[in-house]
């Protein structure tokens, strides 16, 4: 029985709050009218992009310090190598960890500042003073020594405003992990055996928080004048413009031979084309160009468009291709979905599938469908999913939309950032299949999934337009780390 389909979850007022309407977000984003240039375009300065800076500190004593009884712990008199013991080879492990840290820094465009090795209280006091004077965005501490755990906790308390990642390998501790490190509000604590996934999760989430605060979302909406606002949780700059500006730009773009050739090459990649005329492929690429130009005009990192009634101007094809290329695009003027795609592009370096949810209450399965699924769901350059082209399913004209096929057994997860509630949702699961449209209905792309660890599928995310990502449950944990760093509530099955 689906106990929460009725009476639970979001009520109608909550639904409107997360529905993407301009009125609904008045209390969350204090919008102000945008000043205009003489030619009518808004005065929007480019947002300066700064890299996330992570300082890296290793903590362990050299072997000679321990052997000579100079280590500053209770075991010094015995020249005792506490956990992880004298065969752990910390210098070798430092090199191993450094290599992985640099690898993830390159992947997420992070600037690293290696601080060397710390093993005395005097050095720690000096380091804390220096860090307070010139703090990085995050401090990454790799602790290879059991009795240094209280030092790390003391450091975190003195640097209370500074987010920290503390990697404390299993075997470098004795018995229960230090509770203080597990519960400190400014610490992402990793206590695991060479868990590079957990390290990547922490570093990618750290970077994503900084990137979001330097990002801009463009809303193409049913408004009469342009407005500017800020998402109060993540700091994303949000510019709203009249749909008429997009329409005018689209209409000014003429399809040249190169565009027609590109459109037909895209058509040729589909496994089948069902009832869509060639001219609508070309219109899809006109829209793709219009989207690129209007995003450039406003210096936008993501976009959402009130698109349902745009007829041949609908951006379905372009949105699918853009999301594959990590250019976040959300339909129907849903800023929360667009911001979810922006978060996901940074956290996972892959595009997702914004969809409408449904619930098979008898099989306890989740169904999703929509029309702008990314093709490269494992990331750019990692291969496209097979797809058909069929008409947009709700109205004429029969513009082109993608019917992307998800393979049975694919590991996936749902994600949605809900600004109005300062929450982020995430649920992991497995694809059951992609039912045919004349069986399931809905929109051009469809999927069914089993959600992990749930007895009532309706108790999972309820509301419009969450994002589906291909990825493992371990990767999905980045969302939980991100929520902690952004100080928003996490809800999910991890």
């Amino acid at each position: 029985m689906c106990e929460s389909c009725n009476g639970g979850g979001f009520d109608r007022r909550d639904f409107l709050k997360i529905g993407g309407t301009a009125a609904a977000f008045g209390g969350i984003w204090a919008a102000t009218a945008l000043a205009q240039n003489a030619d009518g375009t808004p005065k929007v300065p480019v947002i300066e992009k700064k890299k996330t800076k992570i300082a890296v500190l290793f903590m362990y004593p050299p072997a000679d310090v321990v052997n000579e009884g100079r280590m500053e712990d209770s075991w010094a008199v015995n020249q005792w190598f506490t956990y992880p013991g004298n065969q752990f080879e910390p210098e070798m492990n430092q090199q191993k960890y450094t290599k992985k840290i640099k690898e993830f820094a390159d992947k997420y465009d992070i600037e690293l500042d290696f601080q060397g090795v710390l093993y005395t209280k005097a050095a720690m006091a000096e380091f804390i003073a220096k860090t307070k004077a010139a703090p990085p965005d995050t401090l990454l501490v790799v602790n290879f020594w059991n009795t240094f755990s209280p030092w790390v906790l003391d450091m975190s308390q003195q640097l209370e405003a500074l987010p920290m990642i503390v990697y404390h390998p299993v075997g470098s501790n004795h018995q229960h992990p230090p509770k203080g490190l597990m519960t400190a509000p400014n610490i992402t604590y990793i206590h695991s055996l060479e868990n590079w996934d957990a390290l990547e999760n922490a570093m990618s989430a750290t970077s994503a928080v900084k990137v979001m605060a330097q990002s801009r979302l463009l809303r193409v909406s049913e408004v009469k004048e342009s407005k500017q606002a800020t998402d109060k949780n993540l700091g994303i700059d949000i510019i709203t413009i009249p749909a008429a500006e997009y329409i005018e730009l689209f209409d000014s773009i003429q399809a040249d031979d190169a565009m027609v050739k590109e459109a037909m090459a895209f058509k040729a990649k589909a496994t089948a084309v069902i009832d869509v005329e060639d001219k609508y492929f070309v219109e899809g690429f006109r829209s793709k160009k219009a989207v690129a130009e209007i995003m450039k005009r406003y210096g936008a990192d993501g976009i959402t468009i009130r698109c349902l009634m745009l007829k041949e101007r609908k951006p379905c094809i372009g949105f699918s291709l853009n999301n594959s290329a990590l250019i976040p695009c959300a339909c129907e003027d849903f800023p929360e979905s667009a911001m979810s795609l922006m978060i996901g592009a940074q956290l996972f370096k892959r595009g997702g599938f914004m969809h409408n949810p449904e619930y098979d209450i008898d099989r306890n399965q989740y169904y999703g469908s929509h029309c702008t699924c990314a093709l490269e769901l494992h990331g750019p350059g990692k291969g496209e999913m097979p797809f058909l082209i069929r008409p947009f399913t709700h109205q004429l004209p029969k513009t082109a939309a993608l019917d992307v096929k998800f393979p049975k057994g694919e590991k996936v997860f749902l994600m949605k950032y809900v600004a109005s509630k300062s929450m982020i949702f995430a649920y992991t699961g497995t694809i059951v299949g992609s039912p045919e449209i004349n069986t399931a209905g809905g929109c051009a792309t469809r999927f069914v999934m089993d959600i992990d660890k749930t007895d009532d599928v309706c108790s999972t995310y309820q509301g419009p337009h969450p994002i589906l990502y291909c990825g493992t449950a371990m990767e999905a944990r980045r969302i939980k780390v991100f929520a902690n760093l952004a100080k928003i509530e996490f809800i999910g099955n991890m």
Side-chain angles (χ1 to χ4, degrees), residues 119-165:
Y119 57 90
T120 69
K121 291 181 179 178
M124 188 180 83
E126 181 182 347
F127 173 77
I128 291 172
K130 182 178 72 172
T131 303
K132 283 182 176 179
D137 294 306
T138 296
L139 172 61
L140 169 55
V141 177
V142 182
N143 177 23
F144 290 153
W145 198 253
N146 180 32
T147 58
F148 282 162
S149 290
W151 295 25
V152 177
L153 182 59
D154 180 55
M155 184 189 302
S156 76
Q157 292 168 345
Q158 293 192 55
L159 300 173
E160 58 181 349
L162 181 65
M164 291 175 59
I165 302 167

Side-chain angles (χ1 to χ4, degrees), residues 10 13 53 93 102 245 256 363-364 367 386 398 462 465 467 494:
F10 300 137
R13 185 180 292 114
K53 183 176 181 179
N93 274 285
K102 287 181 176 179
E245 184 175 346
D256 57 16
R363 293 187 177 91
N364 199 42
Y367 172 76
K398 293 182 178 180
Q462 299 171 48
H465 293 165
I467 315 299
M494 286 168 273

Side-chain angles (χ1 to χ4, degrees), residues 24-288:
F25 289 105
I28 293 121
W29 304 322
T32 56
L34 212 58
Q36 303 289 313
N37 289 319
D39 62 359
T41 59
K43 295 177 180 177
V44 187
V46 174
I47 297 176
E48 183 183 2
K49 311 288 189 183
K50 295 181 179 179
K51 289 187 177 184
T52 304
K53 183 176 181 179
I54 297 181
V56 183
L57 178 69
F58 285 85
M59 295 183 68
Y60 64 87
D64 61 335
V65 171
V66 182
N67 287 327
E68 294 168 10
R70 293 186 289 112
M71 179 53 206
E72 297 176 6
D73 65 13
S74 61
W75 298 103
V77 66
N78 306 108
Q79 295 87 45
W80 186 265
F81 284 79
T82 185
Y83 280 76
N86 64 352
Q87 298 178 56
F88 177 70
E89 300 182 65
E91 289 84 2
M92 179 274 291
N93 274 285
Q94 181 182 352
Q95 293 178 5
K96 186 190 303 183
Y97 279 70
T98 296
K99 181 180 179 181
K100 299 304 293 189
I101 290 167
K102 287 181 176 179
E103 177 185 320
F104 299 140
D106 288 343
K107 184 175 181 178
Y108 297 99
D109 200 25
I110 294 168
E111 178 184 345
L112 297 174
D113 183 11
F114 285 93
Q115 298 291 311
V117 180
L118 185 153
Y119 57 90
T120 69
K121 291 181 179 178
M124 188 180 83
E126 181 182 347
F127 173 77
I128 291 172
K130 182 178 72 172
T131 303
K132 283 182 176 179
D137 294 306
T138 296
L139 172 61
L140 169 55
V141 177
V142 182
N143 177 23
F144 290 153
W145 198 253
N146 180 32
T147 58
F148 282 162
S149 290
W151 295 25
V152 177
L153 182 59
D154 180 55
M155 184 189 302
S156 76
Q157 292 168 345
Q158 293 192 55
L159 300 173
E160 58 181 349
L162 181 65
M164 291 175 59
I165 302 167
V166 176
Y167 195 125
H168 188 193
V170 167
S172 297
N173 181 64
H174 185 51
Q175 299 187 31
H176 196 279
K179 185 175 181 181
L181 294 177
M182 290 194 294
T183 59
N186 61 325
I187 289 180
T188 299
Y189 184 59
I190 303 170
H191 192 53
S192 192
L193 280 172
E194 287 195 357
N195 194 332
W196 308 131
D197 291 330
L199 179 60
E200 181 176 3
N201 288 351
M203 291 181 67
S204 66
T206 295
S207 179
V209 170
K210 174 95 176 229
V211 169
M212 291 306 106
Q214 301 176 131
S215 296
R216 175 172 291 151
L217 170 64
L218 180 62
R219 296 181 63 185
V220 179
S221 190
E222 294 177 353
V223 295
K224 293 182 179 180
E225 63 178 9
S226 299
K227 297 180 184 295
Q228 191 164 14
T230 302
D231 174 65
K232 294 182 180 179
N233 298 310
L234 305 180
I236 297 172
D237 183 46
I238 303 167
I239 292 178
T240 305
I241 64 169
E245 184 175 346
Y246 167 80
I247 292 171
E248 181 181 12
L249 179 56
F250 177 97
D251 291 348
S252 71
I253 294 172
Q254 301 301 313
D256 57 16
D257 291 343
M259 182 180 290
V260 173
K261 183 178 180 181
E262 185 180 15
M264 293 301 100
F266 175 74
K267 173 189 173 182
K269 293 199 299 182
T271 58
V273 177
I274 302 168
D275 199 22
V276 177
E277 298 177 46
D278 284 355
K279 68 176 181 179
Y280 290 123
F281 285 91
V282 177
E283 301 292 64
F285 278 81
R286 285 179 71 194
S287 176
K288 184 174 183 289

